[in-house]
Amino acid sequence: MNYIWEVVGRHPTGQQPTGAETIQKLCDRVASSTLLEDRRDAVRALKSLSKKYRMEVGTMAMDHLVRILQTDRADTETLGYALDTLYNIICSDEEEEPDDSEEENQQKQEDDLGAQFTEKFIQEPDNITLLLTLLEEFDFHVRWPGVKLLTALLKSQCAPVQGIILVSPMGVSRLMDLLADSREVIRNDGLLLLQQLTKGNTAIQKIVAFENAFERLLEIITEEGSSDGGIVVEDCLLLLLNLLKNNSSNQNFFKEGSYIQKMKPWFEVGDDNSGWSAQKVTNLHLMLQLVRVMVSPVNSPGATASCQKAMFQCDLLQQLCTILMATGVPADILTETINTVSEVIRGSEVNQDYFASVNAPSNPPRPAIVVLLMSMVNERQPFVLRCAVLYCFQCFLYKNHKGQGEIVATLLPSTIDANSISAGQLLCGGLFSADSLSNWCAAVALAHALQDNLTQKEQLLRVQLATSLGKPPVSLLQQCTNILSQGDKLNRRGSRVQTKVGLLMLLCTWISNCPIAVMHFLHNQDNVPFLTGQISENLGEDERLVQGLCALLLGICIYYNDNSLENYTKEKLKQLIEKRIGKENFVEKLAFITKHELYSRAAQKPQPAFSTPEHMLFDHEFTKLVKELEGMITKAVLRSSEEEKKEEEVKKTLEQHDSIVTQYKELIREQDSQINELKEQVALLTSQNEKLQNTTTQQFSQIQQHKDQYNILKLKLGKDNQQTGNQAEAAHVNGLQPEELSQLREQLEELQRQNQLLQTQLTEKDSLITSLKAEGVPSGERATSEVTELQKEVELLKAQLQSQTAEITQLQSERQELLRGSESTAAAPGGDSVYTEKTAELESRLSAQTAETQKLKGEVKTLLESKELMEKELASATSTTAIMQAEKSKLQQEVQESKKEQDDLLMLLADQDQKILSLKQRLKDLGETIEDEDDLDSRDQFDDDDDDEEDDEECDE
């Protein structure tokens, strides 16, 4: 305390201040001190007083402590003191242990006080956000107190704190980082924090799971030694249970992440299982619960089936069966293992078949089912173990018609083996033993062998039991009814409600929905009087349940009665109920079953969970049967005979209507099938039509393209034939094709048109020159003379062109005669010689035409030179007078136009020459190379003309 007085500034002389006054001084110091050391000392003093003066510190200092967390972030020591102080005022850790009564009252007061301070702290959600931010601080003195404080807040006010953390940005992720802390104390307290955080909050559970919690927790479990580990493994398993229980999303994520396979090493046990520590038992118990969470009957059937499949594939089921058959395993672990195996095989055909093949390591080997049933009917075994074995047997037969048949077969005379103990023998032994619990368990187990299986119900009617020497055997059904109806035997066996309830549940399950079993039951004359007597009596509270079950059994005999026994038809049984019991009384007794408290408990879940053996009265599957039959039996009993007749008539009418409706349905189905077939045919034809239309369109387009190509080729055929090689011409040496003949005609016609055009142009030039000559002046005599000479030359050229035109015309006519003759000379004798002569003549003429063309080229060249000279002379003459200048300009313009026309004429003559050469080449290709004398004379003539023209040019110059 001296330290505190030093901080406060006073010494303990005279009267000492109270604790409240001291705390107030410290709070003032925290609020007003400007030095960090002063605030740190004051907070440290508050921490030391927070346990003793929890109320005062929490009331006066909480706001100051929160402000310290906000302002002094840089001083980790002060932060640690503040967090420890807040933890002390929210969570009390008293070391003193008072008496039990005082402890309860004090603990309640402390819890209330902690809840009040927690509510005050979380009134500002920013305080929780601030605390989450401080958890990011790596310093041990800040992070560890922060984890403990947040855990205490969650313990005190879980839901509000969860809501604040859930909406805080990255709140859950910050807490998940605690699992990665290298300091074990922080990691371990982080596990406790996450346990509190994930309680009952599905959203936070999902976030934690998707923050890779499964992977990290399984790693910690492996690092700590799995089942041999310490309290840390237990904390990890508790956190896993929080994440997976009743959370289908996390269960699916756990399965899809292949974490089920990582659970298998947990259940590896050795041969020596003695001396298990309490922690190992706890760890293995939690591991088994974790497996059960994944395959719990309350999960969706699809998710459960997939987990069961994964557990079989990874040999987890095999490992559990090894524990089941191992020696030295503690009783509570063995019990939980049996329950776990039960739910792993429930409804899974593959797993059920594997479990049926498991044998116990005994000599001789016995099936595991037989060994378990031996424990169930043994009254010296623990009650919870016997309940677990019954649950395992029920799960083995759940939706397992094959297993049901195998169990019933062990009771049939043809399959009984006297040298071995079978499941059927054990069930019969337990059914008629002196132990009422064995009676009940055996009856329920046998009822599950008949559940929803009409075939096995009928097969079980064949079972015969030997009662005593010298007496004939009785059926199992008769023996059960005899035990119920004969009161003296019940007294010797201990007439207890549990035995009666077990036998009545077996009989109700057996004869329901089985008219043959109902007939066998009614065939015993003592059964109906016993049931009516039991129902009509006024018995105690415990016997009222037996009365209700007797009413249910009698109602099943009415509802599933096929009227094969004359004395016990439906109508007679209803009359018997009305006379001896009363319909209202009967219905009241029947309704008592569902009102029973133990009935409601059994209907909640499939596993038998009873606190004491006396509470073991109802089976889960039987509650479903009662719920199904109660309403139907009530209606069947309350209906009168007239109503039944009317109902039968209505049923017949409905059956007739149903038959008519069925016929119409069949007709509609046939019509639907026909319509579907026709639709398919229409669709097929439509598709075929579309394909044909597409094909037709494509063909039309292709035909049009071919037509266009044909027209283009037809137009270009002439040009293409001119450029055809020697190989194409060699193929037609003996004759010309029609296409070639038409092409030659077109070429000759073109040449004629060109000649006419040239004549027209020459005529125009002649008129132009004449007009220029008429308008000339004396000063331009020289130009006029030159123009006159040019006119003469043009006239000469015109004459030559006319002669050339005549020659071409004559050549065309001869060519046509040659073409016409070529067609007739093919069959005429001597036609080849005639054709050869004409061809030679044609060739000679073409040669002459070629020479003449060469001569014309020379003349054109000469004319061009003379025109240029004339232009120069005209240009010099225009400088003398103005009139002559205008005339010269006109003359020069006309001469330029003449030059252009002469150029065009030159080009046309060149083209004509080229065509003549091609024709000559064509004749050469035909094989004609002989020249006539006429050609030689024409050549000499052309040579003389050339000499004359040269002389004239010299004279002109």
Side-chain angles (χ1 to χ4, degrees):
M1 294 294 292
N2 292 333
Y3 168 76
I4 297 175
W5 306 135
E6 291 176 0
V7 173
V8 174
R10 301 175 62 185
H11 295 279
T13 59
Q15 186 179 1
Q16 295 181 354
T18 62
E21 294 175 351
T22 304
I23 293 170
Q24 184 62 47
K25 291 285 186 181
L26 293 173
C27 292
D28 294 340
R29 179 68 61 85
V30 171
S32 61
S33 296
T34 57
L35 295 177
L36 179 62
E37 291 78 4
D38 293 342
R39 292 197 300 274
R40 183 189 305 129
D41 293 339
V43 174
R44 182 166 60 240
L46 287 173
K47 174 188 173 184
S48 61
L49 295 173
S50 60
K51 291 185 178 180
K52 186 176 180 180
Y53 300 99
R54 182 184 177 195
M55 181 70 178
E56 291 78 4
V57 174
T59 304
M60 293 185 286
M62 180 175 287
D63 294 337
H64 299 290
L65 294 173
V66 172
R67 193 173 299 109
I68 288 293
L69 297 179
Q70 295 172 348
T71 58
D72 292 338
R73 294 284 301 274
D75 186 17
T76 58
E77 187 177 357
T78 305
L79 289 178
Y81 292 148
L83 292 171
D84 285 333
T85 306
L86 290 171
Y87 173 75
N88 290 336
I89 63 178
I90 289 175
C91 179
S92 176
D93 293 334
E94 291 290 341
E95 298 180 357
E96 298 180 0
E97 295 182 0
D99 297 337
D100 293 341
S101 59
E102 295 179 359
E103 182 180 1
E104 291 179 0
N105 295 330
Q106 185 177 356
Q107 185 65 35
K108 184 177 181 181
Q109 293 176 0
E110 291 176 353
D111 291 342
D112 294 340
L113 188 60
Q116 293 176 7
F117 288 139
T118 302
E119 290 178 0
K120 182 179 179 181
F121 185 82
I122 65 176
Q123 281 179 355
E124 290 293 335
D126 292 339
N127 293 341
I128 300 295
T129 305
L130 175 62
L131 190 56
L132 292 173
T133 305
L134 292 176
L135 289 179
E136 294 181 349
E137 181 65 42
F138 188 74
D139 190 273
F140 180 80
H141 297 90
V142 177
R143 200 171 204 185
W144 187 40
V147 172
K148 293 194 298 181
L149 175 59
L150 189 56
T151 305
L153 292 171
L154 284 166
K155 286 181 179 179
S156 180
Q157 297 287 335
C158 186
V161 178
Q162 284 177 337
I164 297 172
I165 294 175
L166 187 60
V167 299
S168 177
M170 301 296 293
V172 179
S173 300
R174 293 171 181 172
L175 299 180
M176 283 299 301
D177 293 339
L178 299 174
L179 297 182
D181 200 305
S182 59
R183 294 160 294 192
E184 291 188 1
V185 63
I186 295 180
R187 184 199 66 184
N188 298 342
D189 284 349
L191 289 171
L192 299 177
L193 170 60
L194 290 173
Q195 285 181 25
Q196 298 297 325
L197 179 66
T198 55
K199 281 184 177 179
N201 194 306
T202 305
I204 293 179
Q205 291 170 1
K206 291 180 181 180
I207 296 173
V208 172
F210 282 95
E211 288 286 344
N212 204 25
F214 293 140
E215 184 73 27
R216 182 57 186 150
L217 292 174
L218 293 177
E219 288 177 358
I220 295 174
I221 292 173
T222 304
E223 292 171 359
E224 295 292 330
S226 297
S227 60
D228 295 325
I231 189 68
V232 178
V233 174
E234 180 181 352
D235 293 337
C236 291
L237 293 171
L238 289 173
L239 180 55
L240 284 172
L241 286 173
N242 285 350
L243 295 175
L244 293 174
K245 194 171 185 179
N246 299 326
N247 194 318
S248 58
S249 175
N250 284 1
Q251 290 174 5
N252 184 61
F253 182 67
F254 191 85
K255 177 183 67 68
E256 295 296 335
S258 301
Y259 296 117
I260 292 178
Q261 289 79 348
K262 297 181 181 181
M263 298 167 63
K264 180 182 176 256
W266 296 353
F267 305 102
E268 294 178 355
V269 296
D271 297 333
D272 186 12
N273 296 312
S274 60
W276 283 25
S277 64
Q279 187 62 55
K280 181 175 181 178
V281 172
T282 302
N283 292 342
L284 198 57
H285 195 274
L286 292 173
M287 291 173 179
L288 292 170
Q289 287 185 358
L290 194 61
V291 176
R292 293 185 64 184
V293 165
M294 298 298 298
V295 292
S296 175
V298 300
N299 297 342
S300 64
T304 301
S306 60
C307 291
Q308 289 173 336
K309 181 179 179 181
M311 290 178 183
F312 176 78
Q313 292 177 346
C314 72
D315 293 338
L316 179 58
L317 174 60
Q318 293 82 329
Q319 201 67 43
L320 294 174
C321 291
T322 302
I323 298 176
L324 194 65
M325 295 291 104
T327 58
V329 178
D332 52 349
I333 294 298
L334 181 61
T335 302
E336 189 64 22
T337 303
I338 294 173
N339 289 327
T340 305
V341 171
S342 304
E343 295 182 351
V344 172
I345 67 174
R346 187 176 188 270
S348 175
E349 182 179 357
V350 176
N351 293 1
Q352 290 168 341
D353 292 342
Y354 171 77
F355 183 72
S357 65
V358 176
N359 290 323
S362 60
N363 191 13
R366 291 177 179 173
I369 298 175
V370 174
V371 176
L372 293 175
L373 289 177
M374 291 173 67
S375 301
M376 186 186 72
V377 298
N378 188 354
E379 56 184 325
R380 291 176 295 181
Q381 293 292 338
F383 173 67
V384 291
L385 179 63
R386 298 174 73 179
C387 292
V389 173
L390 176 61
Y391 183 47
C392 183
F393 191 74
Q394 292 173 351
C395 292
F396 170 69
L397 297 178
Y398 182 72
K399 294 183 179 180
N400 184 9
H401 289 188
K402 178 182 176 182
Q404 290 174 332
E406 292 174 352
I407 297 298
V408 173
T410 60
L411 291 168
L412 299 178
S414 58
T415 59
I416 293 178
D417 187 2
N419 298 325
S420 62
I421 300 176
S422 64
Q425 293 174 0
L426 291 172
L427 292 176
C428 285
L431 191 62
F432 306 120
S433 69
D435 180 29
S436 60
L437 184 58
S438 297
N439 300 153
W440 190 91
C441 291
V444 171
L446 196 57
H448 276 263
L450 306 175
Q451 194 75 38
D452 299 328
N453 196 328
L454 181 61
T455 302
Q456 302 309 322
K457 291 178 181 179
E458 296 175 356
Q459 287 292 323
L460 198 62
L461 296 173
R462 298 169 49 200
V463 176
Q464 301 291 322
L465 301 176
T467 55
S468 60
L469 295 175
K471 291 186 179 180
V474 295
S475 65
L476 178 61
L477 179 64
Q478 184 178 350
Q479 184 65 16
C480 293
T481 56
N482 289 341
I483 294 173
L484 282 175
S485 59
Q486 295 175 6
D488 57 338
K489 291 186 178 181
L490 281 173
N491 290 331
R492 288 198 301 271
R493 295 180 179 272
S495 177
R496 285 173 252 187
V497 174
Q498 194 173 41
T499 301
K500 292 181 180 180
V501 170
L503 290 173
L504 287 170
M505 286 195 300
L506 172 60
L507 292 173
C508 290
T509 304
W510 191 345
I511 69 174
S512 64
N513 199 21
C514 185
I516 297 176
V518 172
M519 182 188 67
H520 279 261
F521 180 80
L522 295 177
H523 188 73
N524 189 343
Q525 301 295 328
D526 298 331
N527 291 340
V528 175
F530 168 74
L531 294 177
T532 55
Q534 288 286 321
I535 298 170
S536 60
E537 289 182 1
N538 293 323
L539 302 176
E541 185 69 24
D542 295 338
E543 294 293 336
R544 291 186 63 186
L545 179 59
V546 177
Q547 288 181 326
L549 292 174
C550 290
L552 178 65
L553 183 59
L554 186 57
I556 292 174
C557 292
I558 295 174
Y559 189 80
Y560 291 105
N561 195 337
D562 59 357
N563 297 324
S564 59
L565 294 178
E566 184 178 355
N567 295 331
Y568 295 108
T569 60
K570 287 184 178 181
E571 186 61 31
K572 290 183 178 181
L573 288 175
K574 289 168 61 176
Q575 292 176 0
L576 184 63
I577 289 174
E578 187 174 3
K579 291 180 181 178
R580 296 190 180 181
I581 303 172
K583 291 184 178 180
E584 292 77 7
N585 189 23
F586 178 86
V587 173
E588 182 181 355
K589 300 288 185 180
L590 181 62
F592 180 79
I593 301 174
T594 56
K595 297 177 181 178
H596 201 280
E597 180 184 1
L598 297 179
Y599 174 90
S600 302
R601 292 183 184 178
Q604 293 177 0
K605 57 182 180 179
Q607 182 183 0
F610 307 102
S611 56
T612 61
E614 289 76 15
H615 291 167
M616 205 169 187
L617 291 179
F618 285 104
D619 174 59
H620 178 75
E621 293 297 329
F622 181 74
T623 59
K624 294 181 180 179
L625 180 64
V626 173
K627 185 177 181 181
E628 178 185 354
L629 294 177
E630 182 182 4
M632 296 187 297
I633 291 174
T634 302
K635 291 180 181 179
V637 172
L638 295 179
R639 281 196 304 263
S640 63
S641 59
E642 295 179 356
E643 291 177 350
E644 286 188 354
K645 290 180 180 179
K646 291 181 180 179
E647 185 176 355
E648 289 180 357
E649 292 178 357
V650 171
K651 284 184 178 179
K652 290 181 181 179
T653 306
L654 291 175
E655 289 177 357
Q656 293 177 357
H657 285 298
D658 289 341
S659 63
I660 295 173
V661 171
T662 304
Q663 293 177 359
Y664 278 114
K665 285 182 178 179
E666 292 178 355
L667 179 61
I668 291 171
R669 289 193 188 96
E670 292 178 358
Q671 292 177 350
D672 287 339
S673 62
Q674 292 177 359
I675 291 172
N676 292 331
E677 291 177 358
L678 292 174
K679 286 182 178 179
E680 292 176 357
Q681 292 178 2
V682 169
L684 180 61
L685 293 174
T686 304
S687 62
Q688 292 178 354
N689 186 22
E690 291 178 355
K691 291 180 180 178
L692 291 174
Q693 288 180 354
N694 294 333
T695 305
T696 304
T697 304
Q698 293 177 358
Q699 290 178 352
F700 278 136
S701 63
Q702 291 177 358
I703 291 171
Q704 187 63 36
Q705 291 177 0
H706 290 318
K707 286 182 178 179
D708 296 339
Q709 293 176 359
Y710 173 75
N711 293 330
I712 293 171
L713 292 174
K714 186 175 180 182
L715 294 173
K716 292 182 179 180
L717 188 60
K719 297 181 180 180
D720 293 339
N721 289 332
Q722 291 178 4
Q723 298 176 359
T724 304
N726 295 331
Q727 294 181 354
E729 295 296 336
H732 305 285
V733 172
N734 295 327
L736 295 174
Q737 296 295 334
E739 293 83 358
E740 295 178 350
L741 296 175
S742 61
Q743 183 181 359
L744 291 173
R745 292 190 188 97
E746 291 176 357
Q747 291 176 357
L748 292 174
E749 291 175 358
E750 183 66 23
L751 290 173
Q752 288 178 354
R753 286 194 296 272
Q754 292 176 0
N755 287 330
Q756 292 177 0
L757 180 61
L758 290 173
Q759 290 177 0
T760 304
Q761 292 176 355
L762 290 174
T763 303
E764 292 176 355
K765 295 296 180 182
D766 189 15
S767 62
L768 178 60
I769 291 171
T770 304
S771 63
L772 289 174
K773 184 178 179 181
E775 295 175 358
V777 294
S779 59
E781 291 179 357
R782 183 178 180 181
T784 304
S785 63
E786 291 178 354
V787 171
T788 303
E789 293 178 358
L790 180 61
Q791 183 178 4
K792 292 180 181 180
E793 292 176 358
V794 169
E795 290 176 355
L796 179 62
L797 181 60
K798 181 178 179 181
Q800 292 176 355
L801 287 174
Q802 289 177 354
S803 63
Q804 185 179 6
T805 302
E807 292 291 334
I808 290 172
T809 302
Q810 183 178 1
L811 179 62
Q812 181 179 5
S813 61
E814 292 177 356
R815 188 87 170 176
Q816 291 176 355
E817 291 177 0
L818 177 62
L819 292 175
R820 287 193 299 269
S822 63
E823 295 177 358
S824 59
T825 55
D832 292 339
S833 59
V834 176
Y835 177 73
T836 301
E837 292 176 358
K838 291 183 179 181
T839 301
E841 185 179 358
L842 180 61
E843 183 179 0
S844 64
R845 291 182 179 277
L846 286 175
S847 298
Q849 186 70 26
T850 301
E852 186 178 358
T853 302
Q854 293 292 336
K855 184 178 179 180
L856 289 174
K857 285 182 179 180
E859 292 177 356
V860 169
K861 185 177 180 180
T862 304
L863 288 173
L864 291 174
E865 292 176 354
S866 61
K867 281 198 296 183
E868 291 177 358
L869 182 60
M870 183 183 64
E871 288 174 358
K872 292 178 181 181
E873 292 178 353
L874 288 174
S876 60
T878 54
S879 61
T880 55
T881 58
I883 297 173
M884 197 66 185
Q885 182 69 31
E887 295 297 331
K888 284 184 180 180
S889 298
K890 282 184 180 182
L891 182 61
Q892 186 177 5
Q893 183 178 0
E894 295 297 332
V895 169
Q896 287 178 356
E897 291 177 358
S898 299
K899 182 180 179 182
K900 291 180 181 180
E901 292 175 357
Q902 293 296 330
D903 291 337
D904 294 337
L905 179 60
L906 181 61
M907 293 176 65
L908 291 173
L909 291 174
D911 293 338
Q912 185 179 5
D913 183 50
Q914 184 65 29
K915 291 179 182 179
I916 293 171
L917 289 175
S918 63
L919 291 174
K920 184 177 180 182
Q921 184 65 32
R922 180 75 59 84
L923 292 172
K924 288 182 179 181
D925 292 338
L926 293 173
E928 300 296 333
T929 57
I930 302 173
E931 295 182 356
D932 295 337
E933 294 179 357
D934 295 338
D935 294 332
L936 296 175
D937 294 335
S938 63
R939 287 183 181 180
D940 295 335
Q941 184 179 358
F942 282 125
D943 293 336
D944 296 335
D945 294 336
D946 292 337
D947 294 336
D948 295 335
E949 289 176 0
E950 289 177 0
D951 295 335
D952 294 337
E953 291 176 358
E954 290 178 356
C955 292
D956 293 337
E957 291 177 357

